[in-house]
Amino acid sequence: SGAARVYRSGDLRPASPLLAIGERASRGSLSDDGRWFTVSQADRKCDPCVHVFDLDSTAPDLGRTMTGSVETERGGVASSGAVLSPDGDRLVTISQAGDVEAFDRSTGDSIWSIDLEVPARSIARSADGELIAVGATSGRLVVLRAPDGTELKVLRGHRGRVGSLAFRPDGRELASVSLEDGTMRLWDLDSGLTIGEPIDIGLDDYVQQAWTPDGDRLVVPHRNGTAMEYDLRVERLRAAACSLAGRDLAREEWTQYVGADAPRRSRCS
């Protein structure tokens, strides 16, 4: 419909009227205080492609629209997503051309930009706002330092487009989902390695996965109205692996079922 709306998480009542975006309104992002809302527009003809709304009124005002180098240098490149910093002062956008660009929300000035050289299709930020993760159509993930865009990690493992990303609340791990290979992967961001084996979630259409506030579980909802909840506590994974093996775990089994970076406890008793 080309519109977006913000809802309250407690009772699911609308927190804003319908916000007019235009054709192919895409993913949105809220600042932590709930005042600023941004939504991207996945339309190659849009100008601009990212819209920011001030929700601090009964009739939200369009605070600013972002154009930046993606629009002025390449002309009409569709946005694949955008995230706000926790305080709403900065905005980081991605494009189908592979651009990642940070803006000052109040002025619209570009702060930094990088070119991934392949289309970017998903973006997430850590709860503290220090890290940005971007997923590409190639299956590659890039972790950036949010203040200046410095590349910190490149994560490889998915065999196709990474459609959604979610940081664990403590910012130490990242969950990525690829609809094209049908798996969810968990990444340890200190080492850049996957934790355990990829989780097969199937090739059904899904929406954005989310961690529970305590970081113990990950919920992956599907568009058919169902959702899968995964208990990712290390102790729970160890217990499940021990139950499956029926004996103490060898080092190779610990790595496969619990994760190479988890403190090793080979004995199941």
Side-chain angles (χ1 to χ4, degrees):
S1 66
R5 173 171 277 168
V6 178
Y7 291 85
R8 302 183 191 281
S9 60
D11 55 16
L12 297 182
R13 295 176 58 189
S16 77
L18 283 175
L19 307 173
I21 307 299
E23 293 184 4
R24 300 187 67 187
S26 188
R27 300 174 184 177
S29 173
L30 273 170
S31 59
D32 283 2
D33 63 5
R35 175 177 178 178
W36 299 100
F37 174 68
T38 181
V39 61
S40 56
Q41 191 173 353
D43 182 351
R44 292 185 179 276
K45 297 179 181 179
C46 67
D47 184 9
C49 288
V50 179
H51 311 271
V52 181
F53 291 87
D54 183 354
L55 302 181
D56 195 21
S57 64
T58 56
D61 296 323
L62 181 61
R64 182 169 294 277
T65 52
M66 303 296 175
T67 55
S69 62
V70 172
E71 292 289 329
T72 57
E73 293 179 9
R74 303 193 181 197
V77 176
S79 172
S80 303
V83 293
L84 284 160
S85 60
D87 58 11
D89 287 345
R90 289 190 177 191
L91 173 71
V92 181
T93 69
I94 57 174
S95 83
Q96 294 178 18
D99 301 271
V100 185
E101 188 163 12
F103 295 91
D104 183 295
R105 191 262 312 152
S106 62
T107 65
D109 293 338
S110 178
I111 300 170
W112 55 260
S113 64
I114 63 172
D115 184 0
L116 298 182
E117 299 180 348
V118 292
R121 299 306 298 268
S122 55
I123 185 171
R125 69 159 171 85
S126 58
D128 62 7
E130 290 299 309
L131 299 176
I132 295 289
V134 179
T137 56
S138 62
R140 176 166 53 112
L141 305 176
V142 180
V143 180
L144 308 171
R145 189 161 55 207
D148 57 15
T150 299
E151 182 180 290
L152 301 176
K153 297 283 185 183
V154 177
L155 311 175
R156 293 182 172 88
H158 283 297
R159 299 191 303 275
R161 174 172 59 93
V162 178
S164 61
L165 301 164
F167 280 95
R168 202 166 197 157
D170 62 10
R172 299 177 61 184
E173 296 171 12
L174 179 72
S176 61
V177 171
S178 170
L179 182 61
E180 293 186 9
D181 66 20
T183 66
M184 177 170 66
R185 292 175 179 261
L186 302 178
W187 304 87
D188 176 84
L189 295 181
D190 288 334
S191 66
L193 301 175
T194 55
I195 300 173
E197 292 293 297
I199 299 172
D200 185 3
I201 64 170
L203 296 175
D204 295 331
D205 201 6
Y206 60 88
V207 293
Q208 177 71 47
Q209 72 270 23
W211 292 91
T212 54
D214 58 13
D216 287 343
R217 293 173 173 82
L218 190 63
V219 179
V220 182
H222 293 253
R223 294 190 188 276
N224 63 8
T226 65
M228 294 295 294
E229 182 180 83
Y230 298 90
D231 188 339
L232 299 175
R233 291 171 293 179
V234 170
E235 282 305 306
R236 187 265 174 193
L237 296 176
R238 183 188 68 83
C242 286
S243 176
L244 179 65
R247 52 176 169 74
D248 292 344
L249 300 179
R251 182 179 298 276
E252 294 76 12
E253 292 170 326
W254 178 269
T255 299
Q256 178 178 357
Y257 294 111
V258 181
D261 301 302
R264 184 169 179 265
R265 290 175 52 188
S266 61
R267 297 190 63 84
C268 289
S269 57

